[in-house]
Amino acid sequence: MKRDYYETLGVAKDADPEAIKKAFRKLAMQHHPDKNPDDKSADHKFKEINEAYDVLKDQQKRAAYDRFGHAAFENGGAGGFGGGRGGHAGAGGGFDFADIFDEMFGEFMGGRRGAQARSRGGDLRYNMEISLEDAFHGKQATIKVPTSVACDACTGSGGEKGAQPVACPACHGHGKVRVTQGFFTIERTCQACQGVGKVIEKPCKTCHGSGRMAKEKTLQVTIPAGVEDGTRIRLTGEGEAGMRGSAAGDLYIFLSLASHRIFQRDGANIHCRVPIPMAKAALGGPIEIPTIDGGTAKVSVPAGAQTGQQFRLKAKGMSVLRSQARGDMYVQIAVETPVSLSKKQKELLEQFEAEGGKSGNHSPESDGFFARIKEFLDGGRS
């Protein structure tokens, strides 16, 4: 039995939309499969959370759920993609709310929309990881998707040797049957014909009358330059084939960006932490760093550079989706203290330290800090 949607998100039934959204975000981050690779139940929990939020975030769906409970969505399905009835509502999948009314009050509303929608092929989801360079340049990718396609033997009709469909004896061709629940008489999709209203008397031996068969489909996908982590690409009609020649579902490709060894992305901008030797920081000079477009750029480090000092390189960041513009690149300096010193190097540093008090203030921040400590210990607390 399905859990109550409010219980799944841990909110009260009178919770406002903002509270529902906040609860969803917290739980989604907590139970995301990528963060729980060793927890086999994480994927199921994540789907439950998404299904609950998909209903409760929509005023119409929530109203239907408050009134009819899970029965309002028994045949439509409020969950994500893959294997079930799909939709176009957003990243979480979903269904058209009008289907609920077609299913409950179809004849009174004068429509057969729900029956047609339920014979449509299911939407599919494909997760693709790309590199930061691919996100910058864009790419053409070839993917293989296990799905269902129109049956070759019957060309999708479902009938053996051209056999034509006849009216379903269970629903008399309506595609729906009436069910009484308490004070309500509602209509539901006929399970015998899956809402089509017709059945095949001589079903195709290859597809057993469904008009489709399992097959791996190879597709070419264009990844545009400037895509971000979580970008969704929709390929219309590339989902599962519909029942007996009905419309196919859609394929949704969800992009994730692999972490990079050098760069960290922040929207259209790129950050790069560059460690430099202590001598280079003290004396200053140029350094050469790589850029995301495959080139290099020079940064002039001023004498006396400190850790955390940042330099901005305009238009050296990421591509911007559907634009010729580019973000900026921020180079942050990290001064590295030398290690594994030779005897001679230690002597030179000791000499440098000894000369510090004679030739000037080389470390003003350090000297100032320890001067304040001395004042504090001497009783000059402030």
Side-chain angles (χ1 to χ4, degrees), residues 218-235:
T218 301
L219 299 171
Q220 297 293 323
V221 182
T222 300
I223 309 297
V227 293
E228 298 190 29
D229 192 79
T231 296
R232 185 185 71 177
I233 298 175
R234 174 186 177 187
L235 301 183

Side-chain angles (χ1 to χ4, degrees), residues 8 30 42 93 110 164 173 190 217 231 263 269 351 364 372 377:
T8 299
Q30 181 181 347
Q164 296 300 311
C190 175
K217 186 187 295 185
T231 296
F263 304 115
N269 297 325
Q351 184 180 350
R372 290 193 297 274
L377 295 176

Side-chain angles (χ1 to χ4, degrees), residues 328-366:
D328 299 330
M329 179 176 178
Y330 291 89
V331 178
Q332 188 178 67
I333 295 298
V335 180
E336 186 176 19
T337 302
V339 297
S340 304
L341 298 175
S342 66
K343 183 178 179 182
K344 180 64 175 178
Q345 289 171 326
K346 289 180 180 179
E347 290 174 354
L348 290 172
L349 281 178
E350 288 170 354
Q351 184 180 350
F352 173 81
E353 179 69 18
E355 290 291 327
K358 301 176 183 178
S359 56
N361 186 2
H362 299 301
S363 306
E365 186 175 350
S366 176

Side-chain angles (χ1 to χ4, degrees), residues 4 105 145 173 196 264 269 285 291 341 353 368:
D4 179 80
F105 313 110
V145 183
V196 178
Q264 294 82 45
N269 297 325
T291 53
L341 298 175
E353 179 69 18

Side-chain angles (χ1 to χ4, degrees), residues 1 29-30 88 132 134 148 159 161 178 283 316 329:
M1 180 179 292
M29 290 183 65
Q30 181 181 347
H88 309 281
L132 192 62
D134 288 338
S148 62
K161 296 181 180 180
R178 289 190 174 187
L283 300 175
K316 289 294 183 181
M329 179 176 178

Side-chain angles (χ1 to χ4, degrees), residues 30-114:
Q30 181 181 347
H31 295 289
H32 196 286
D34 291 345
K35 290 191 175 183
N36 301 273
D38 299 326
D39 186 357
K40 296 182 179 179
S41 65
D43 187 61
H44 176 70
K45 292 178 182 176
F46 188 69
K47 288 179 179 178
E48 274 191 336
I49 293 164
N50 275 281
E51 180 178 329
Y53 182 61
D54 186 67
V55 171
L56 299 185
K57 73 178 180 180
D58 186 289
Q59 290 185 352
Q60 289 182 317
K61 294 178 186 177
R62 185 178 178 182
Y65 178 72
D66 288 344
R67 186 171 183 180
F68 301 109
H70 292 295
F73 312 105
E74 280 181 357
N75 295 300
F81 310 112
R85 154 80 167 90
H88 309 281
F95 57 90
D96 191 329
F97 184 73
D99 287 348
I100 298 175
F101 288 99
D102 279 341
E103 184 158 330
M104 293 181 177
F105 313 110
E107 289 185 2
F108 301 103
M109 301 292 286
R112 285 285 305 281
R113 187 176 182 281

